[in-house]
Amino acid sequence: SQQGEEDPQALSIQEGENATMNCSYKTSINNLQWYRQNSGRGLVHLILIRSNEREKHSGRLRVTLDTSKKSSSLLITASRAADTASYFCAGSNAGKSTFGDGTTLTVKP
Amino acid sequence: DADVTQTPRNRITKTGKRIMLECSQTKGHDRMYWYRQDPGLGLRLIYYSFDVKDINKGEISDGYSVSRQAQAKFSLSLESAIPNQTALYFCATSDARTGSHEKLFFGSGTQLSVL
């Protein structure tokens, strides 16, 4: 079964708005990662947050991790049309990563 | 640029045929993975290999086999393809020498259709 569930499944916003995606996971993890996938292409790593971290920033990305609730969120600020893609969380343990089903983000110009 | 290359990009085959998907990498990474993605879903792990002599089953290994021919090459075989193996297949690598060894680098994928 999948490690994580992502919410919402689909999100549509206007350019310039912020986008927030949530991920819940089931088992213990060493870290949690977020990936981006443009339609039908390979996934690209965005950011990794370790289990002992609560928040991490990278450019317009902000990730939080709550291990007590087994949940994470990805915030993309000041979104652009080029941010349109699917976003996946992946919980990692013992060198293996298990992916959620993803959130499809559409940013309208 | 160092890369993860999958061949073929697309393949159509018939039920019962044997098929091999290939993956090669120039990143010098020791770890390699095979995932499949079904429409609208996330990736599920089929097999993974932490070095040439190490092969491990993932979440959905039934109906698949792998071969790690060299550090840079990891192939996935479907011995007798069936229609529910129609999916997008991804190879990925990671580097155990770094502090972020779970960070995966993906190939562009192979779209497999089994008729």
Side-chain angles (χ1 to χ4, degrees), chain A residues 6-57:
Chain A
E6 292 177 70
D7 169 50
Q9 289 186 323
L11 179 61
S12 181
I13 60 175
Q14 293 295 134
E15 207 165 27
E17 294 179 340
N18 295 343
T20 300
M21 291 160 260
N22 303 295
C23 165
S24 60
Y25 58 92
K26 299 175 184 176
T27 61
S28 65
I29 58 171
N30 292 332
N31 62 62
L32 189 133
Q33 303 172 66
W34 286 87
Y35 289 82
R36 166 192 168 127
Q37 183 182 34
N38 287 82
S39 180
R41 301 180 70 107
L43 280 70
V44 176
H45 184 269
L46 294 176
I47 193 166
L48 179 152
I49 185 166
R50 301 199 179 282
S51 59
N52 61 355
E53 297 176 312
R54 292 296 168 260
E55 187 172 313
K56 198 162 185 179
H57 297 253

Side-chain angles (χ1 to χ4, degrees), chain B residues 82-103:
Chain B
I82 56 177
N84 76 2
Q85 291 177 313
T86 294
L88 183 56
Y89 289 83
F90 286 105
C91 174
T93 70
S94 69
D95 188 351
R97 297 167 298 177
T98 69
S100 300
H101 58 86
E102 292 96 342
K103 178 179 176 180

Side-chain angles (χ1 to χ4, degrees), chain B residues 17-66:
Chain B
K17 293 290 188 182
R18 183 180 189 276
I19 189 164
M20 179 182 289
L21 308 183
E22 301 196 29
C23 177
S24 64
Q25 53 115 346
T26 57
K27 289 186 170 297
H29 290 174
D30 49 346
R31 299 183 173 190
M32 299 186 74
Y33 307 78
W34 276 105
Y35 284 89
R36 72 175 270 178
Q37 184 179 31
D38 293 281
L41 298 179
L43 279 65
R44 290 183 291 168
L45 182 62
I46 307 173
Y47 270 95
Y48 61 103
S49 169
F50 284 171
D51 64 40
V52 175
K53 298 180 181 179
D54 176 75
I55 301 288
N56 303 283
K57 293 182 178 181
E59 182 186 353
I60 53 163
S61 60
D62 287 349
Y64 301 94
S65 63
V66 290

